[in-house]
């Protein structure tokens, strides 16, 4: 059996090409190349030795002999700048290299084998990272050597934990991947797995981190030599800064050259790393902000009957394809998820919105609540709640309606409560806002509600944090929250799907009794015809963004018109509640 | 929570002891003749060996270490080899200065990173890109380079603030702030940049969370959803990053102190390192690590306070 090889080599090529397409990355590479060339060619560019001091050239002005003048003890500034570049580049490279030589293999082994080695390495690393690097460097330079290059090698060891952490994390995440399991099952040896499957994944983040370590090391080295450490014969930008700072009142330009050289080199390295990250596509998602287009109003809908709660006509929701920034609404590049949905809900009526996952039923529900993500483009001929327009109105107007006019019960109970706030405060806050009641009144009402939704110990749950209650309990809390401000319409998005089977029936009973006692209209989003039969008056069946059939619940079960409805019914009734995913649904029925 | 804290304190003590021991051993590796260095070239061999005996350098390493740790446990970090000053006293003189600039820097970083991270996450678009770019620059540029620019521009060229020196908080609060603000800003830049990116990322994640949608479905206004609920949820990860940044701030302070002529712990460590004054250097390391451990402990407590899953269990 052959193991699928990761497409590592072409990927890396692509990364390089994509990086080179970024003008910032090219500029950084050019700058770094210039700095390296200038440092290497130092003997060609200047006749002076960097530590050759001529007393009469002390603070010499710019001249033909000294293109950048002389420093505080009569050394040529240009020469020191060029040779100092050697020290910086060599130091940065040494430190980054040592960090990878030490941290890389350790991280690889630690992440791959875990166990005691991993624990021990993690402990040592915490010790190293607790001490500021520069303090360690002071100790090391006092104890071992004043040579900056030796210091940079030690710095590499101190920075190794960062490499260790990165490599270890990458290895741990790859190790869990299925293809690595497959490779192991098929008998590939560990070294081979590491080389074939793990190294390729680690390369790109390593490049990014290498540029960062390089930049950090140059900064720390300059800091050390600025403090006066290091051998006097070693020209360095830090020592130049020190000299310039001593003469800051007489010749401040002495600070400019080394400062500029350092800043440019460090920034070029870090921006290069950043560009590689962008090319990798691991950059965090950009926050899209876009004005939502207003309603596409055609002929004004006739006056809605007084019992009509919700009217939706020709609702259309689309998302721009990733990578396209602009784009007019509805242009062909967009992904359309809801396409021309129309539905109504009467007072006291329960409408089931049924369909498979991805059919657009949840999107439709969120559109009514105005809770779609910012990048969604929503248009409709009409979308109104008790005669009030829902589309294109301000957030403030929507906020006045949400919770008060329309309540919402989510699907997954545990992720829908704010983990940082007590359950009580999450119930009290909306009531105080919508009903304008005092904290203690809201508290009383919240406790009543908790008792009403069947929570045996309301006081305790009121004071609890979400992680302290069970899923079924949390769902009851969310239902209590949804009805707390006496809404006329309840939108429930698969309210029982995430619950245990035993709890499902209870929660459904609760919702039905609440709906009847408060005469609420309700949209119940579900894929479960059992739930539909239990509670719904009318059913709208959705398929790929369209409503294919709307009918009273008895009729749907007795004589479904649309083939897709029949298929859904068959799969539910025969296969039980556990419904298999259907790849090509229509074909199965019609053939 | 109490058990958790006690465990953290114990781990911190172990850490300080391990680092102190490692530093002691490292400083004992020095090949140079310390007594000769102290007395200078003109001293006679007899004088040198007498000095070595006085400092206890003629004793075996284990004995010296045992002696040092015994005194250290009793709160005495010894005397400087060169000046004979008590290390405790030197640290007591210098620590407040370093803590002043580092803690003010932390405060600046905390406030600015929340503001910048939140703006970047909520605004998006070009504001977000500008903040992200600035953050890359901010994390890259070493703090002492920023300190140099601030010192030259604000203090030397414009004369707005004192370039050097320290005024104790007890002497004059406004003078203290003036002497502390520029170094604190220089130190804060990198920490601000790193923490702001964490705030931004965490906030974007939280704003996508299900419970935010549910809070909005209750009709809560954006202000409450973002500033009360989302920021509160985004705080713990940002705090973790800030704790890491603190170590960087202490390190940066060593060099920044020199720029502003502040006689802080970094200056003490620096002169001790140049002279090879092991007891002083050892003392600064011990105090630095202790401060790091203490601040991390405080941040742990803050983390627990912000995160009910840690606090209530």
């Amino acid at each position: 059996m052959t193991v699928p090889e990761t497409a590592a080599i072409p990927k890396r090529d692509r990364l390089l090409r994509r990086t080179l397409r970024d003008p910032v990355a090219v500029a950084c590479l050019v700058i770094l190349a210039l700095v390296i060339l200038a440092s290497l060619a130092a003997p060609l560019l200047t006749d002076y030795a960097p530590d050759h001091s001529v007393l009469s050239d002390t603070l010499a002005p710019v001249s033909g002999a000294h293109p950048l003048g002389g420093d505080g003890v009569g050394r040529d500034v240009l020469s020191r700048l060029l040779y100092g570049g050697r020290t910086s580049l060599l130091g940065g490279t040494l430190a980054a290299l040592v960090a990878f030589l030490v941290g890389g293999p350790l991280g690889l082994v630690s992440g791959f084998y875990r166990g005691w080695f991993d624990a021990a390495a993690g402990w040592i690393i915490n010790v190293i990272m607790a001490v500021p690097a520069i303090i360690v460097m002071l100790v090391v330079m006092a104890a071992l050597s004043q040579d900056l290059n030796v210091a940079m090698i030690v710095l590499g060891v101190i920075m190794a934990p960062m490499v260790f952490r990165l490599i270890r994390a990458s290895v741990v995440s790859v190790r869990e991947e299925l293809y690595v399991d497959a490779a192991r099952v098929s008998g590939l040896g560990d070294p081979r797995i590491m080389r074939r499957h793990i190294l390729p994944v680690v390369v790109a983040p390593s490049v990014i981190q290498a540029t960062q370590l390089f930049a950090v090391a140059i900064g720390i080295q300059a800091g050390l030599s600025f403090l006066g450490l290091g051998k006097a014969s070693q020209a360095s930008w830090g020592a130049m800064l020190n000299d310039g700072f001593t003469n800051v009142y007489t010749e401040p330009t002495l600070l400019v050259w080394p400062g500029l050289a350092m800043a440019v080199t460090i920034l070029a390295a870090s921006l290069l790393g950043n560009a590689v990250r962008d090319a990798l596509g691991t950059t965090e998602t950009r926050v899209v902000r876009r004005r939502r287009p207003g309603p596409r109003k055609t002929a004004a809908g006739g006056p809605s009957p007084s019992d009509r709660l919700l009217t939706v006509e020709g609702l259309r929701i689309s998302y721009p394809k990733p990578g396209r920034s602009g784009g007019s609404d509805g242009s062909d590049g967009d992904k359309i998820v809801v396409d021309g949905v129309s539905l109504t809900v009467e007072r006291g009526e329960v409408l089931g919105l049924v369909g498979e996952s991805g059919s657009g039923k949840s999107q439709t529900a969120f559109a009514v609540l105005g809770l779609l993500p910012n990048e969604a483009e929503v248009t409709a001929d009409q979308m109104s709640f008790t005669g009030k327009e829902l589309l294109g109105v301000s957030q403030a107007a929507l906020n006045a309606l949400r919770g008060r006019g329309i309540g919402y019960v989510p699907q997954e109970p545990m992720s829908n409560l704010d983990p940082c706030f007590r359950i009580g405060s999450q119930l009290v806050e909306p009531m105080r806002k919508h009903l304008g009641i005092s904290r203690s009144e809201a508290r009383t009402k919240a406790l009543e509600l908790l008792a009403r939704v069947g929570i045996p110990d309301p006081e305790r749950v009121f004071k609890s944090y979400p992680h302290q209650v069970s899923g079924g309990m949390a769902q009851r809390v969310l239902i209590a929250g949804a009805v707390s401000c006496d809404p006329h319409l309840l939108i429930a998005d698969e309210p029982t799907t995430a619950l245990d089977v035993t709890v499902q029936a209870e929660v459904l009973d609760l919702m039905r009794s609440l709906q009847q006692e408060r005469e609420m209209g309700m949209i119940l989003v579900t894929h479960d015809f059992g739930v539909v039969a239990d509670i719904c008056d009318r059913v709208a069946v959705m398929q790929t963004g369209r409503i294919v059939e709307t009918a009273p619940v008895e009729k749907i079960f007795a004589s479904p018109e649309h083939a897709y409805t029949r298929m859904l019914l068959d799969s539910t009734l025969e296969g039980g509640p556990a419904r298999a995913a259907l790849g090509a649904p229509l074909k199965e029925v019609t053939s | 929570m109490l058990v958790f804290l006690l465990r953290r304190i114990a781990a911190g003590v172990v850490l300080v002891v391990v680092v102190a021991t490692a530093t002691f051993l490292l400083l004992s590796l020095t090949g140079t003749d310390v007594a000769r260095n102290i007395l200078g070239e003109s001293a006679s061999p007899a004088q040198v060996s007498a000095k070595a005996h006085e400092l206890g350098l003629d004793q075996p390493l284990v004995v010296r270490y045992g002696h040092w740790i015994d005194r250290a446990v009793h709160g005495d970090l010894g005397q400087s080899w060169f000046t004979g000053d008590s290390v405790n006293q030197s640290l007591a003189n210098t620590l407040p200065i370093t803590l002043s600039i580092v803690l003010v820097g932390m405060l600046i970083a905390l406030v600015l990173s929340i503001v910048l991270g939140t703006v970047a996450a909520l605004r998006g678009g070009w504001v977000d890109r500008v903040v992200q770019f600035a953050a890359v620059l901010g994390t890259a540029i070493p703090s002492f380079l920023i300190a140099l620019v601030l010192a030259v521009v604000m203090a030397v060229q414009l004369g707005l603030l004192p370039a050097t020196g320290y005024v104790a908080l007890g002497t004059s609060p406004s003078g203290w702030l003036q002497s502390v603000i520029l170094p604190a800003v220089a130190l804060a830049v990198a920490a601000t940049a790193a923490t702001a990116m964490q705030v931004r990322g965490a906030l974007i994640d939280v704003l996508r969370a299900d419970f935010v949608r549910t809070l909005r479905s209750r009709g809560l206004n954006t202000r409450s959803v973002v500033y009360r609920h989302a920021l509160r949820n985004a705080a713990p990860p940002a705090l973790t990053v800030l704790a890491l940044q603190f170590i960087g701030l202490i390190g940066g302070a060593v060099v920044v102190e020199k720029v502003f002529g502040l006689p802080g712990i970094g200056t003490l460590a620096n002169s001790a390192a140049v002279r090879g004054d092991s007891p002083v250097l050892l003392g600064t390391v011990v105090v630095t690590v202790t401060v790091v451990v203490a601040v991390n402990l405080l941040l742990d407590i803050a983390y627990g306070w912000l995160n009910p899953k840690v606090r209530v269990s």
Side-chain angles (χ1 to χ4, degrees):
Chain A
M1 176 189 158
T2 51
V3 177
E5 296 278 325
T6 47
I9 305 305
K11 217 192 220 162
R12 223 178 302 167
D13 271 1
R14 227 185 308 144
L15 179 66
L16 187 67
R17 231 177 296 143
R18 267 162 76 180
T19 309
L20 289 180
R21 222 178 291 152
D22 184 351
V24 177
V26 175
C28 291
L29 280 171
V30 168
I31 288 170
L32 284 177
L34 283 178
V35 174
I36 292 169
L37 275 179
S39 307
L40 288 179
L44 303 175
L45 295 172
T46 176
D47 297 331
Y48 296 95
D51 54 349
H52 179 67
S53 161
V54 179
L55 221 58
S56 59
D57 282 343
T58 301
L59 298 179
V62 171
S63 65
H66 298 291
L68 298 178
D71 77 355
V73 286
R75 295 170 296 196
D76 181 58
V77 172
L78 178 64
S79 164
R80 287 182 67 70
L81 197 63
L82 295 171
Y83 284 98
R86 288 183 168 190
T87 311
S88 283
L89 294 173
L90 180 64
T93 312
L94 268 180
L97 200 67
V98 171
F100 269 91
L101 286 179
V102 175
L106 289 179
L108 207 60
V109 172
S110 213
F112 199 77
Y113 295 107
R114 314 288 285 273
W116 65 267
F117 183 85
D118 191 32
W123 197 84
I124 292 170
I125 266 152
N126 281 338
V127 172
I128 295 180
M129 288 184 81
V131 194
I134 201 145
I135 302 242
V136 183
M137 301 309 296
L138 286 180
V139 173
V140 166
M141 292 189 84
L144 295 181
S145 157
Q146 285 283 316
D147 191 324
L148 279 177
N149 289 334
V150 175
M152 287 299 104
I153 291 174
V154 176
L155 180 64
V157 176
I158 298 173
M159 295 195 306
M162 300 189 214
V163 181
F164 174 91
R165 284 195 166 178
L166 174 82
I167 304 280
R168 183 185 168 279
S170 310
V171 172
V172 167
S173 67
V174 178
R175 225 181 76 110
E176 314 295 326
E177 296 280 346
L178 286 175
Y179 64 87
V180 175
D181 274 353
R184 178 167 295 166
V185 168
S186 68
L188 240 63
D190 283 353
R192 217 172 131 89
I193 292 176
M194 281 196 196
R195 202 175 65 242
R196 286 253 171 103
H197 297 287
I198 291 182
L199 275 183
V201 183
V202 168
V203 166
S206 298
V207 170
I208 297 166
Q209 192 168 44
T211 62
Q212 286 168 347
L213 293 181
F214 176 77
V216 168
I218 288 182
I220 288 184
Q221 187 202 47
L224 287 171
S225 43
F226 177 77
L227 286 177
L229 294 154
K231 289 191 282 197
S233 59
Q234 246 168 345
S236 68
W237 291 340
M240 291 179 78
L241 285 171
N242 189 348
D243 175 68
F245 197 57
T246 319
N247 298 296
V248 66
Y249 287 98
T250 46
E251 198 52 63
T253 45
L254 284 178
L255 280 171
V256 173
W257 299 115
L260 214 57
M262 217 176 103
V264 164
T265 310
I266 288 178
L267 287 183
S270 347
L271 287 175
L272 181 65
N274 213 46
V276 175
R277 176 176 306 157
D278 282 348
L280 257 185
T282 53
T283 170
E284 283 176 73
T285 38
R286 292 230 163 104
V287 188
V288 186
R289 189 180 178 83
R290 181 194 285 216
R291 287 253 146 259
R292 204 169 293 166
R296 179 157 47 101
K297 283 219 172 110
T298 49
S304 48
S306 59
D307 270 358
R308 174 72 52 83
L309 279 179
L310 182 73
T311 311
V312 175
E313 263 173 49
L315 174 68
R316 197 165 177 285
I317 305 169
S318 62
Y319 288 89
K321 284 257 169 67
R324 287 182 351 114
S325 45
S328 52
D329 54 338
S331 58
D332 47 2
D334 291 357
K335 185 178 187 299
I336 298 162
V337 293
V338 171
D339 191 7
V341 160
S342 301
L343 53 84
T344 60
V345 182
E346 310 286 325
R347 206 173 287 274
E349 180 193 41
V350 181
L351 172 73
L353 199 55
V354 188
E356 290 185 284
S357 43
S359 61
K361 51 194 196 310
S362 292
Q363 292 286 314
T364 305
F366 288 136
V368 172
L369 286 158
L371 291 179
L372 288 169
N374 276 342
E375 55 267 31
E377 287 178 20
V378 188
T379 58
D381 296 331
Q382 197 195 348
M383 188 156 83
S384 61
F385 175 75
T386 60
K388 289 178 214 122
E389 187 57 54
L390 288 175
L391 208 53
V393 299
S394 71
Q395 282 295 319
L398 275 179
N399 280 334
L401 215 57
R402 286 195 287 240
R404 186 79 172 104
I406 310 175
Y408 164 66
V409 180
Q411 173 177 0
E412 167 66 50
M414 292 317 279
S415 68
N416 275 288
L417 287 165
D418 185 340
C420 283
F421 285 78
R422 289 178 200 275
I423 283 171
S425 93
Q426 297 186 49
L427 288 173
V428 164
E429 196 183 350
M431 278 197 276
R432 295 197 59 199
K433 190 209 161 196
H434 286 301
L435 309 176
I437 55 181
S438 73
R439 193 176 293 275
S440 62
E441 280 176 301
R443 184 189 146 86
T444 314
K445 199 159 185 292
L447 288 172
E448 283 168 17
L449 272 169
L450 288 174
R452 172 65 189 89
V453 296
I455 284 169
D457 188 358
E459 288 276 356
R460 187 186 69 79
V461 170
F462 187 90
K463 281 191 212 121
S464 299
Y465 283 96
H467 72 274
Q468 295 172 301
V469 302
S470 70
M473 206 76 100
Q475 189 62 304
R476 288 171 195 272
V477 169
L478 283 161
I479 292 172
V483 301
S484 65
C485 299
D486 308 314
H488 304 300
L489 176 67
L490 200 60
I491 296 182
D493 184 12
E494 310 222 21
T496 57
T497 310
L499 302 176
D500 285 349
V501 181
T502 47
V503 187
Q504 281 185 3
E506 291 172 29
V507 167
L508 212 57
D509 275 347
L510 170 67
M511 295 198 61
R512 182 170 42 200
S513 68
L514 279 171
Q515 181 264 330
Q516 282 170 356
E517 113 194 358
R518 294 166 179 241
E519 285 184 79
M520 288 183 293
M522 185 150 106
I523 297 180
L524 186 70
V525 177
T526 181
H527 60 251
D528 187 343
F529 268 99
V531 173
V532 170
D534 248 7
I535 187 169
C536 293
D537 301 313
R538 226 154 35 89
V539 184
V541 180
M542 275 191 85
Q543 183 192 18
T544 57
R546 290 193 173 84
I547 289 185
V548 293
E549 181 171 7
T550 309
V553 68
E554 302 81 11
K555 187 171 171 299
I556 284 280
F557 281 97
S559 55
E561 272 174 17
H562 200 274
Y564 180 69
T565 313
R566 281 200 296 274
M567 193 274 303
L568 277 182
L569 271 170
D570 286 351
S571 63
T572 310
L573 298 179
E574 283 162 23
R579 186 180 50 100
L582 301 164
L586 276 175
K587 239 179 246 167
E588 273 183 47
V589 177
T590 46
S591 61
Chain B
M1 185 74 192
L2 191 67
V3 176
F4 165 77
L5 276 183
L6 286 176
R7 205 179 300 151
R8 294 307 298 251
I9 291 172
V13 171
V14 171
L15 184 75
V16 173
V17 171
V18 167
V19 171
T21 307
T23 312
F24 190 94
L25 292 177
L26 201 59
L27 286 172
S28 312
L29 291 175
T30 328
T32 53
D33 187 346
V34 178
R36 166 66 69 191
N37 280 356
I38 296 168
L39 295 175
E41 292 304 318
S42 57
S44 69
Q47 283 173 312
V48 170
S49 64
K51 187 74 183 172
H53 179 72
E54 180 199 327
L55 297 177
L57 291 171
D58 51 350
Q59 287 168 322
L61 183 62
V62 185
V63 176
R64 273 154 60 198
Y65 175 69
H67 187 59
W68 182 83
I69 205 104
D70 178 49
R71 283 172 64 177
V73 167
H74 292 96
D76 179 6
L77 291 167
Q79 279 88 38
S80 160
W81 282 346
F82 287 80
T83 62
D85 290 347
S86 144
V87 174
N88 285 26
Q89 192 53 49
S90 302
L91 290 170
N93 292 339
T94 52
L95 189 60
I97 300 171
T98 305
L99 282 186
S100 294
I101 61 171
V102 168
L103 292 181
V104 172
M106 281 280 273
L107 197 66
I108 295 172
L110 181 70
V111 173
L112 273 187
S113 62
I114 291 175
V115 171
L116 290 175
T118 309
V119 166
L122 293 184
R123 273 299 161 104
W126 67 268
V127 179
D128 186 27
R129 282 196 288 281
V130 167
V131 172
Q132 284 196 65
F133 188 74
V136 174
L137 303 190
T139 24
I141 292 285
S143 53
F144 85 96
L145 206 56
I146 298 168
L148 275 175
V149 172
L150 284 178
V152 169
V153 174
M154 302 294 286
V156 176
Q157 301 282 341
L158 301 176
L160 292 177
L161 289 160
T164 57
Y166 175 74
V167 180
L169 181 59
T171 314
S172 155
S174 67
W176 171 79
L177 193 63
Q178 283 186 8
S179 66
V180 155
I181 191 74
L182 286 184
V185 167
L187 288 175
V189 170
T192 305
T195 316
M197 280 305 93
Q198 183 60 47
V199 170
R200 171 190 176 275
L203 198 56
I204 289 175
D205 284 348
V206 172
L207 286 174
R208 287 203 187 112
D210 285 351
F211 71 82
V212 166
R213 187 169 58 202
T214 300
L215 287 170
R216 290 176 62 202
S217 83
R218 302 281 187 256
L220 299 183
N221 53 33
T222 313
R223 209 177 51 231
S224 170
V225 171
V226 173
Y227 298 107
R228 197 168 127 88
H229 292 275
L231 257 188
R232 172 71 182 274
N233 277 277
L239 210 57
T240 308
V241 170
L242 199 62
L244 274 178
Q245 291 298 319
F246 179 77
I247 299 169
L249 248 66
I250 291 251
V254 174
V255 193
V256 168
E257 278 171 13
K258 180 177 165 95
V259 173
F260 290 98
L262 296 171
I265 211 161
T267 310
L268 184 70
N270 187 19
S271 58
V274 170
R275 280 193 302 215
D277 197 344
S278 292
V280 177
L281 204 46
L282 202 49
T284 56
V285 170
V286 169
V287 164
T288 310
V289 176
T290 309
V291 168
V292 168
V293 166
V295 167
N296 273 313
L297 201 65
L298 286 177
L299 288 169
D300 272 342
I301 294 171
Y303 188 94
W305 177 72
L306 281 170
N307 189 347
K309 278 184 193 163
V310 178
R311 180 166 30 124
V312 191
S313 52

